[in-house]
Amino acid sequence: MTTTTPDTAPEAIIADARERIDALDDRIIGLVQERMAVSAVVQQTRIASGGRRVHLSREMEILGRYRDALGKPGTALAMTLLELSRGRI
């Protein structure tokens, strides 16, 4: 990681920040894939025990959590995560 000083070139600062963003994106993608796998276990278990694949009140809780933390765009992000995790209903 580049240490920023007043005389650090803007290009170096930008390159360093982009490197950090790429690393964060890799972590986020890994976490989303992990979430999808855990969600599949929940769905399979629920179906095997006679339940429904989707639990709408739980999804509403998730939507609310993301909305509260990130505002309206958080709701869209949560919807995308839910769709990735369970597919369209």
Side-chain angles (χ1 to χ4, degrees):
M1 184 180 324
T2 305
T3 304
T4 58
T5 61
D7 58 333
T8 301
E11 296 82 14
I13 295 169
I14 291 169
D16 181 54
R18 286 182 175 163
E19 218 174 277
R20 291 173 56 204
I21 287 170
D22 289 346
L24 289 167
D25 285 342
D26 289 342
R27 289 171 46 199
I28 291 167
I29 290 166
L31 289 170
V32 169
Q33 291 170 332
E34 182 178 350
R35 187 192 194 288
M36 291 167 63
V38 171
S39 181
V41 170
V42 170
Q43 290 178 49
Q44 291 165 1
T45 304
R46 191 180 306 119
I47 291 168
S49 65
R52 298 175 54 157
R53 180 173 66 100
V54 176
H55 192 261
L56 294 178
S57 64
R58 172 67 178 145
E59 290 195 357
M60 293 306 295
E61 289 174 24
I62 293 166
L63 291 169
R65 178 188 295 155
Y66 276 78
R67 182 191 62 246
D68 292 347
L70 303 171
K72 186 176 178 182
T75 304
L77 176 59
M79 285 298 297
T80 299
L81 288 170
L82 291 169
E83 185 176 331
L84 284 168
S85 295
R86 51 115 164 102
R88 289 192 175 275
I89 56 171

